[in-house]
Amino acid sequence: MTTTAPEQTRPALAHRQILLLMGGLMTGMLLAALDQTIVGTALPTIVGELGGLEHYSWVVTAYLLASTASTPLYGKISDLYGRRPVLLFAISTFLVGSLLAGLSQDMTQLIVTRAVQGVGAGGLMTLAFTVVSDVLPPRDRPRYQGLFGAVFGISSVAGPLVGGYFAENDWRWIFYINVPLAVFALYVCSRVLRLVPHQRRDHRIDYLGAALMVAAVSAVLLALSWGGNEYAWGSPTIVGLLVVGAVLTVLFLVVESRAEEPILPPRLFKRATFTLANTATFVLGFAMFGSIIYVPLYLQIVRGATPTSSGLLMLPMMGGVIVTSIVAGRLISRLGRYKWFTVAGTLIMGAGLLLFTTLQVDTPLWQAFIYMTTIGVGLGLAIQPLVLAVQNALDLRDMGAGTSAVTFFRSLGGSVGVAALGAVMTNRLTEQMRGNGMAGVSINAPAEIRKLPAQMLAAVEHIFVNALHPVFLSAAIVALVGTLLTVALPNKPLQGAAPDTPAQTPTAEEMESKVAAF
């Protein structure tokens, strides 16, 4: 049976302080989420000024690699040393990386500083959820964590939109804009987190486990990023990286089973809720990231939208995520149950992906908006409850490591999904292009495709749309697997009393003393 730390170990923050803290955490998370999408739109402009076309993909890969590999480290280290210093380090690292990225004079400098940004982003993405779990009992968390889902929705649209705008003006502001936002997050989190005590305990850092984990994740992500792009999937480089990743993963598991303070405690996987929720998170990340990246491409190639306007056309999906995340968070908090929200979310998301398999060149835009909204609603329902499920099954001492595992598996699932579904897309597209005598046409430059003669353009549009169908069908099947996993989740109630009940509300004296301290 799972034991939990007593509720009185959490600080009784006033509502104003919680809102301020949420503002800082959401700002930090927005920075990290934005930088996953904002650079892609501006990359051609950046390469045009800095040169180094052969290093094009590394600008994205360096960020992804650093953020994913560092995520589990932040969770465990914050469990040992406290959230405040570790979160402030993450924000500061991201701030410095952003400033230096904006000052880059060549592609090598940009790649290195993007990696520095990624190291900071790994902490921003996971520690936001962890800090909320320190401050609030499980029953109260959904009302606030639902706002994090809204942040992801905003970043998915605002990233390409803002990136396109700055690409047309001054691309360096893609990175400079992070500086004042990071300073705000740094100030707020520093002030409010002073009120969240950390109980120190004897510990030993699992340096060997950390090194093996970073090396294993790096090898796998490099293989997934390069496979089918830089190198063929069957090339010695990709096969070698996958073999190295597998061997290092086995060594990591052996080391973790013997470590006193493991980075990712194996005992957590003995809990059904923890294992099922993280597996479902991996599957959700696979289906979500692996398929949704093709929606803006459809809007640009088939509908003739610019990179900036394609971001605006994604607003229905963003709206679905934002509204549903907030509403679902309040309902979960009131009902004290989360399971059927995530079941419904994965099912609705799967339905939305299935609808995209009917997409045609002449599909009305309003119809595509319905498909986007359906996926957005599904994501809004599914993402947050899986985090809650994991946190509700953990002791407070494991909250950082456990919560970071959710972020890690979602990012890893996204990386695998992008690679796997990208391979499906590439194979189908290559086959049809060759069959129609257009092997030299690339979809990587939508603006150039729009300049093709009308007859050839029409053929490319039909080929591209047909190649999309197996991608969305595969993603829908994967989402269905996620539904089955969430159905198997234990339907445990969230710990704590219902929100706004006397048992859950701090006394006036407690609130007054906390506000005075702040």
Side-chain angles (χ1 to χ4, degrees):
M1 179 179 294
T2 300
T3 59
T4 57
E7 293 298 334
Q8 61 265 27
T9 58
R10 292 188 174 90
L13 298 184
H15 183 63
R16 181 176 79 87
Q17 293 169 305
I18 294 175
L19 291 179
L20 282 170
L21 179 60
M22 286 298 298
L25 295 176
M26 288 171 64
T27 302
M29 181 173 283
L30 179 63
L31 290 172
L34 269 178
D35 270 63
Q36 289 180 331
T37 57
I38 195 172
V39 175
T41 310
L43 262 182
T45 303
I46 295 173
V47 172
E49 180 175 328
L50 298 182
L53 181 61
E54 66 275 15
H55 304 306
Y56 186 96
S57 63
W58 270 104
V59 178
V60 176
T61 302
Y63 184 87
L64 173 67
L65 197 62
S67 61
T68 304
S70 64
T71 294
L73 301 179
Y74 276 107
K76 187 60 184 178
I77 293 173
S78 71
D79 279 340
L80 297 178
Y81 292 108
R83 315 295 183 216
R84 182 174 178 270
V86 179
L87 179 59
L88 297 185
F89 169 81
I91 298 173
S92 300
T93 302
F94 189 88
L95 189 158
V96 171
S98 298
L99 184 60
L100 293 177
L103 294 171
S104 297
Q105 299 301 308
D106 56 49
M107 287 293 282
T108 301
Q109 292 179 14
L110 182 60
I111 290 167
V112 171
T113 53
R114 282 285 287 168
V116 174
Q117 273 191 304
V119 170
L124 295 176
M125 296 289 282
T126 188
L127 290 177
F129 288 101
T130 310
V131 168
V132 170
S133 72
D134 289 337
V135 174
L136 298 169
R139 191 70 182 265
D140 276 349
R141 289 174 204 158
R143 291 189 298 170
Y144 297 96
Q145 289 187 353
L147 298 173
F148 292 152
V151 169
F152 280 109
I154 292 172
S155 65
S156 65
V157 175
L161 187 64
V162 175
Y165 172 79
F166 284 130
E168 296 170 3
N169 294 277
D170 184 353
W171 64 265
R172 295 182 185 276
W173 277 96
I174 288 175
F175 305 108
Y176 291 153
I177 195 67
N178 293 332
V179 175
L181 295 175
V183 169
F184 168 76
L186 199 63
Y187 173 77
V188 172
C189 292
S190 174
R191 290 293 303 275
V192 180
L193 283 179
R194 291 179 187 277
L195 306 179
V196 182
H198 172 64
Q199 298 177 352
R200 282 194 168 272
R201 55 191 175 90
D202 293 334
H203 54 75
R204 294 182 64 183
I205 299 296
D206 178 21
Y207 291 108
L208 179 58
L212 287 171
M213 187 207 67
V214 171
V217 172
S218 298
V220 172
L221 287 182
L222 283 175
L224 295 175
S225 298
W226 287 348
N229 296 311
E230 306 289 332
Y231 304 93
W233 282 106
S235 67
T237 301
I238 300 302
V239 173
L241 283 170
L242 290 175
V243 170
V244 169
V247 171
L248 291 174
T249 299
V250 172
L251 291 175
F252 169 71
L253 294 175
V254 171
V255 169
E256 292 300 273
S257 66
R258 300 176 180 177
E260 291 184 26
E261 295 282 356
I263 294 294
L264 189 58
R267 58 187 164 76
L268 297 182
F269 290 93
K270 296 178 181 179
R271 307 181 185 190
T273 298
F274 183 87
T275 301
L276 285 169
N278 276 302
T279 306
T281 298
F282 177 89
V283 168
L284 188 65
F286 183 108
M288 176 175 65
F289 291 110
S291 59
I292 292 176
I293 60 171
Y294 292 107
V295 178
L297 206 55
Y298 166 82
L299 294 171
Q300 293 176 42
I301 291 177
V302 178
R303 312 302 302 195
T306 64
T308 303
S309 61
S310 67
L312 287 173
L313 292 174
M314 293 284 286
L315 282 173
M317 187 181 293
M318 181 186 76
V321 173
I322 293 174
V323 174
T324 313
S325 294
I326 295 173
V327 173
R330 291 186 173 277
L331 287 175
I332 292 171
S333 192
R334 186 170 297 278
L335 297 174
R337 301 275 182 171
Y338 55 81
K339 172 178 175 174
W340 295 107
F341 285 88
T342 197
V343 171
T346 53
L347 197 59
I348 293 172
M349 179 185 168
L353 292 168
L354 203 58
L355 286 173
F356 265 105
T357 63
T358 67
L359 202 65
Q360 301 298 332
V361 172
D362 58 354
T363 298
L365 202 53
W366 63 263
Q367 201 167 318
F369 287 162
I370 293 176
Y371 303 167
M372 293 182 206
T373 304
T374 304
I375 293 177
V377 169
L379 287 174
L381 286 172
I383 292 176
Q384 183 197 175
L386 290 172
V387 179
L388 289 170
V390 169
Q391 291 180 335
N392 197 50
L394 296 174
D395 301 329
L396 283 177
R397 66 191 179 97
D398 292 323
M399 199 61 70
T403 303
S404 67
V406 184
T407 306
F408 172 72
F409 282 112
R410 182 170 58 239
S411 298
L412 192 60
S415 300
V416 175
V418 169
L421 296 181
V424 172
M425 175 74 175
T426 301
N427 291 339
R428 182 68 178 268
L429 199 62
T430 301
E431 178 185 332
Q432 293 199 19
M433 286 290 193
R434 284 176 180 171
N436 287 271
M438 291 185 289
V441 178
S442 172
I443 66 166
N444 294 326
E448 296 302 315
I449 290 177
R450 301 300 302 176
K451 297 177 183 178
L452 293 173
Q455 188 174 356
M456 185 177 290
L457 175 60
V460 170
E461 289 175 347
H462 280 89
I463 290 172
F464 174 72
V465 170
N466 289 334
L468 279 180
H469 293 166
V471 172
F472 285 106
L473 179 61
S474 301
I477 294 172
V478 171
L480 178 60
V481 173
T483 302
L484 297 177
L485 288 168
T486 55
V487 167
L489 274 175
N491 193 20
K492 294 182 179 180
L494 292 174
Q495 303 162 29
D500 302 325
T501 59
Q504 201 60 27
T505 305
T507 65
E509 290 78 8
E510 289 174 328
M511 293 181 69
E512 184 178 348
S513 64
K514 292 293 181 182
V515 172
F518 178 71

